[in-house]
Amino acid sequence: MSIVISNSSDEPIYEQIKRQIKNSILSGELKEGELLPSIRNLAKELMISVITTKRAYEDLEKEGYIVTRPGKGSYVAAQNKEFMREMRLKIVEEKLSEAVEAGKAIDLKLEEMEEMLRLLYE
């Protein structure tokens, strides 16, 4: 798993970490039960505060993406398959919304957008 932090981003660093770990879980890159880097090791690797990585991990745990076992580390939580599907659908909807906005900005007709989607899907 590779996490890239942008100091010039408006997004807080802990949110960048959360988003990238979530995406890795949802994409299947990180599998159920897989051990995540320790909070200290991740902070050291990214050259950021331990408090920042701790906040990201705590939020991920509250949201059900990871579980932490004291003295053992943090692991990818067992995911409900329906929940995973819903999360992936949400990502697709967000990307499609971006595409629709971009199309509207150049007065792209719905039929043209549908044709583009059809070609990309195949």
Side-chain angles (χ1 to χ4, degrees):
M1 174 185 69
S2 175
I3 295 178
V4 179
I5 298 301
S6 170
N7 290 322
S8 61
S9 173
D10 289 338
E11 183 180 32
I13 292 174
Y14 79 93
E15 287 286 351
Q16 292 178 48
I17 295 168
K18 268 177 52 177
R19 178 178 40 79
Q20 291 179 55
I21 292 175
K22 273 186 197 180
N23 288 343
S24 293
I25 292 170
L26 292 173
S27 71
E29 178 186 345
L30 288 175
K31 308 284 186 225
E32 180 179 316
E34 191 169 335
L35 179 64
L36 296 174
S38 73
I39 290 171
R40 290 182 194 277
N41 284 345
L42 185 60
K44 185 177 178 181
E45 181 183 315
L46 298 176
M47 296 187 292
I48 59 173
S49 167
V50 171
I51 294 168
T52 303
T53 54
K54 187 175 188 307
R55 175 150 183 207
Y57 276 36
E58 285 174 347
D59 285 0
L60 287 165
E61 188 162 19
K62 285 177 192 168
E63 294 174 22
Y65 287 96
I66 67 172
V67 291
T68 301
R69 296 188 183 103
K72 299 209 180 210
S74 297
Y75 298 83
V76 176
Q79 300 293 318
N80 175 317
K81 292 197 186 307
E82 189 58 33
F83 171 74
M84 293 293 285
R85 178 170 166 69
E86 283 298 317
M87 293 306 293
R88 288 182 177 143
L89 281 172
K90 182 179 176 199
I91 292 168
V92 171
E93 287 174 1
E94 289 170 0
K95 300 287 186 190
L96 286 173
S97 289
E98 290 174 21
V100 167
E101 286 178 31
K104 285 181 176 181
I106 61 167
D107 294 323
L108 192 66
K109 295 184 187 223
L110 177 59
E111 295 79 23
E112 294 171 304
M113 181 74 78
E114 287 174 340
E115 182 59 26
M116 289 173 72
L117 182 59
R118 195 171 293 107
L119 288 170
L120 290 171
Y121 192 82
E122 295 169 355

